[in-house]
Amino acid sequence: GLLQGAPYTFMLKQKLGDSSQPLYTNELTTITSVDLQSSSIVSGQIIYDTPTTLQLTFSKPLTRVNDVKISQDATIVASSYSVEGNVVTITLDGPLERQKNFVLSVDSALAVDGGYLESPISLPFSTSGGPKVVNSTLPSSKANPSVAFTLTFDHSLKGDQDFGSLVSVQSGGK
């Protein structure tokens, strides 16, 4: 078949016996493909928050997309999707499981102008196990029992979270 977005010469010839003559010639370019322009997640990304929606933005307004899903191994994650213009929004029915690997996939997409997705989209991503401490101002030894210290996490925490019930300090493993 013809490639998407490629130039071609269209020629209509009349053939009489062993000879032929061109009757009509025109240069044309086929419709360009539908391409993924941006996404709220990127391939290989670790998601630290708990998104309720994911978005895919395509190069053209779409009339149809097929088999849009998020899967974790062989399990399909409960979700729905909608198309508005060139944006596909996937709405999750609940939070994604923590410390799991997922794949967001789109089997096919058709644009208003007839362009289509040349190959299926597959975006692998994972969820984190929760916040991890990346820095601490707590001295490693000879700390005063009433020392104030700061813990820095690898992503934002909820501002209204009560940390008193989540943090414990031990000395000598006791």
Side-chain angles (χ1 to χ4, degrees):
L2 301 177
L3 299 174
Q4 294 189 80
Y8 291 93
T9 301
F10 174 78
M11 183 181 295
L12 179 62
K13 290 184 179 183
Q14 179 182 29
K15 187 169 182 171
L16 297 170
D18 290 338
S19 66
S20 66
Q21 65 181 19
L23 297 176
Y24 176 79
T25 302
N26 193 12
E27 298 297 317
L28 60 91
T29 301
T30 54
I31 296 170
T32 57
S33 63
V34 171
D35 298 311
L36 180 63
Q37 295 293 303
S38 65
S39 172
S40 59
I41 61 166
V42 295
S43 183
Q45 181 177 350
I46 299 172
I47 296 180
Y48 294 100
D49 58 356
T50 52
T52 56
T53 61
L54 300 173
Q55 285 193 328
L56 303 171
T57 303
F58 290 89
S59 57
K60 300 177 175 195
L62 303 173
T63 59
R64 186 178 70 231
V65 291
N66 292 319
D67 205 17
V68 177
K69 65 185 175 198
I70 299 171
S71 55
Q72 192 264 314
D73 293 327
T75 305
I76 305 299
V77 175
S79 63
S80 59
Y81 69 90
S82 61
V83 179
E84 188 170 323
N86 66 332
V87 177
V88 175
T89 301
I90 300 102
T91 303
L92 300 165
D93 289 0
L96 296 171
E97 285 188 64
R98 306 309 298 163
Q99 283 189 298
K100 298 289 182 182
N101 295 318
F102 296 90
V103 176
L104 169 56
S105 59
V106 178
D107 188 51
S108 64
L110 181 65
V112 172
D113 68 2
Y116 58 91
L117 195 60
E118 287 194 38
S119 60
I121 293 170
S122 179
L123 295 172
F125 67 96
S126 60
T127 52
S128 75
K132 294 190 178 4
V133 175
V134 293
N135 192 22
S136 169
T137 62
L138 183 64
S140 60
S141 65
K142 298 183 184 178
N144 181 332
S146 63
V147 67
F149 62 92
T150 302
L151 298 177
T152 305
F153 295 93
D154 59 357
H155 67 281
S156 300
L157 305 176
K158 290 183 179 178
D160 60 350
Q161 180 134 11
D162 174 23
F163 293 102
S165 63
L166 302 174
V167 176
S168 68
V169 178
Q170 297 180 348
S171 174
K174 299 178 185 176

